[in-house]
Amino acid sequence: MKRTAFRPLIAALFVALAMAVPALAGQTIKLGTTVNEQDSFQIAAEKFAEIVKDRTNGEYVIEIFPNGALGDERIMLEGMQMGVLDMGIITSGPFVNFVPDFGVLDLPFIFSNNAHAHAVLDGPIGQGILAKLDDVGIKGLAYAERGFRNLTNSVRPVANATDIKGLKVRVMENEVYTTTFQALGVNAIPMAWSETLTALQQGTIEGQENPVNVIHSFKLWESQKYVTMTRHAYASAIFTMSKRLFDRLPEAVQTIVMDAAQEAAVYERDWVAQNEARQMDELKQHGMEITEDPDVDSFKAAVQSVYDRYPEFADDLKRIQETAAQ
């Protein structure tokens, strides 16, 4: 069954569940992710649940549903819009389909390091974009971290932009990512993460791009041989809630939820940073060959046309670059 046909069925199921069990029945709030229990999203979700339970004296409990149990990321966002799904931690990629302004954050090579990304996301630029989710029925709470994205593939080592040409690579369902990889001469295939692992195993696609913690937690060494530390884009992980649900919460609880999301986001960012070196060592132990110092300048040169493709991002892009200089 095609995903486009499947989504209405998921939406209908959300509606049925919402009618049978109101979101706040028993003060339980359901939070979905598409990742497994070893992923950094789970770390963020557990810390968020701990803080909310503690500060509401157990009145509000966060129930975590990993492994795509509540649908893929776009389905979860649509469920939150409809008010039939409570919460999610969602990779930043799909958000451009709901609020186009998120696209500036997906442009390649705009963040110099993690500190630069955090300053932008936690500052006026990132918070201004996050607030625009209100207009589409979603409450953006905080930016956790997916991290800097890197290329993996099963065909050959990639040390420069020429080496990547012609590879069939899965990208997130996001126009900016697709445009970026097309500029690199890649056969870019937008695909939900829930379908990607099977496609990699079957050889339908030859590569994908994700941070080290995803490559590690999903054991991509089972289908991928080569890793290239391109760090071509930074992806956040956004704590989101149905705005209908958020607006029904008492004001004091709204504050707790917002603060807990930000604190859990910072906690998860630190966890990602502390574990990356260990995870890279384990990738090597499982036979992955890692190109740690590729010719990044060749990649940057190849994607220059992407910036010209999106003149609507020019002002925010300038502000992001100025943030790096501070």
Side-chain angles (χ1 to χ4, degrees):
M1 182 181 293
K2 293 183 178 179
R3 188 170 67 254
T4 53
F6 184 62
R7 279 181 173 144
L9 297 178
I10 290 291
L13 177 59
F14 278 152
V15 171
L17 288 172
M19 292 175 64
V21 184
L24 289 181
Q27 290 76 47
T28 295
I29 296 175
K30 298 178 175 63
L31 185 158
T33 76
T34 60
V35 302
N36 60 33
E37 292 88 338
Q38 288 72 51
D39 193 271
S40 65
F41 284 23
Q42 182 76 13
I43 299 298
E46 290 176 356
K47 175 56 70 171
F48 174 75
E50 174 189 320
I51 295 171
V52 169
K53 183 176 180 180
D54 178 63
R55 294 184 187 170
T56 64
N57 297 314
E59 184 178 354
Y60 289 84
V61 174
I62 308 300
E63 187 175 2
I64 302 167
F65 292 83
N67 296 302
L70 300 181
D72 68 31
E73 291 188 317
R74 185 158 182 168
I75 286 173
M76 286 195 289
L77 285 169
E78 291 168 352
M80 281 181 265
Q81 277 188 306
M82 296 167 61
V84 296
L85 176 64
D86 297 340
M87 287 193 68
I89 300 178
I90 310 290
T91 310
S92 56
F95 284 87
V96 71
N97 300 301
F98 297 82
V99 174
D101 299 62
F102 274 96
V104 69
L105 302 176
D106 298 321
L107 289 171
F109 300 107
I110 63 169
F111 294 116
S112 53
N113 51 42
N114 292 72
H116 179 204
H118 299 162
V120 169
L121 296 177
D122 294 343
I125 301 171
Q127 294 303 304
I129 295 172
L130 194 65
K132 293 182 180 182
L133 286 171
D134 284 3
D135 297 333
V136 296
I138 299 169
K139 185 65 180 178
L141 302 175
Y143 294 97
E145 186 161 272
R146 182 36 100 205
F148 278 97
R149 304 179 75 88
N150 305 290
L151 176 75
T152 72
N153 82 95
S154 59
V155 179
R156 57 180 176 266
V158 171
N160 56 58
T162 300
D163 295 335
I164 197 176
K165 288 184 177 180
L167 290 177
K168 292 183 290 185
V169 177
R170 175 266 179 181
V171 297
M172 289 191 288
E173 297 173 291
N174 174 306
E175 181 188 324
V176 179
Y177 277 88
T178 303
T179 300
T180 297
F181 276 84
Q182 288 174 341
L184 288 164
V186 167
N187 182 3
I189 303 171
M191 183 180 295
W193 183 246
S194 58
E195 302 173 7
T196 300
L197 295 178
T198 299
L200 289 170
Q201 293 285 358
Q202 294 176 345
T204 308
I205 53 176
E206 298 166 328
Q208 62 85 57
E209 45 86 46
N210 254 309
V212 168
N213 63 80
V214 178
I215 299 168
H216 179 271
S217 65
F218 283 90
K219 301 179 180 180
L220 292 190
W221 55 77
E222 295 177 350
S223 63
Q224 304 281 274
K225 174 71 173 176
Y226 305 102
V227 182
T228 306
M229 300 295 289
T230 49
R231 296 174 67 84
H232 53 269
Y234 175 91
S236 60
I238 305 178
F239 275 92
T240 47
M241 177 178 276
S242 166
K243 191 168 186 302
R244 295 186 194 182
L245 170 59
F246 184 83
D247 289 346
R248 298 206 321 265
L249 295 173
E251 186 174 346
V253 177
Q254 290 179 348
T255 299
I256 288 171
V257 166
M258 294 286 288
D259 290 347
Q262 181 62 30
E263 291 176 33
V266 172
Y267 179 88
E268 184 258 4
R269 291 173 184 172
D270 291 342
W271 185 92
V272 170
Q274 292 168 9
N275 283 274
E276 184 168 291
R278 171 186 62 81
Q279 291 168 341
M280 286 184 66
D281 285 343
E282 291 183 15
L283 298 184
K284 294 174 184 177
Q285 291 171 19
H286 285 283
M288 299 191 89
E289 297 181 13
I290 302 179
T291 301
E292 297 190 35
D293 189 24
D295 180 5
V296 173
D297 287 341
S298 70
F299 287 93
K300 290 181 177 179
V303 300
Q304 285 303 303
S305 63
V306 178
Y307 308 111
D308 298 332
R309 177 81 175 267
Y310 299 100
E312 65 270 29
F313 297 151
D315 289 344
D316 278 341
L317 180 57
K318 182 180 179 181
R319 293 170 66 203
I320 289 170
Q321 292 169 336
E322 289 172 349
T323 301
Q326 293 176 3

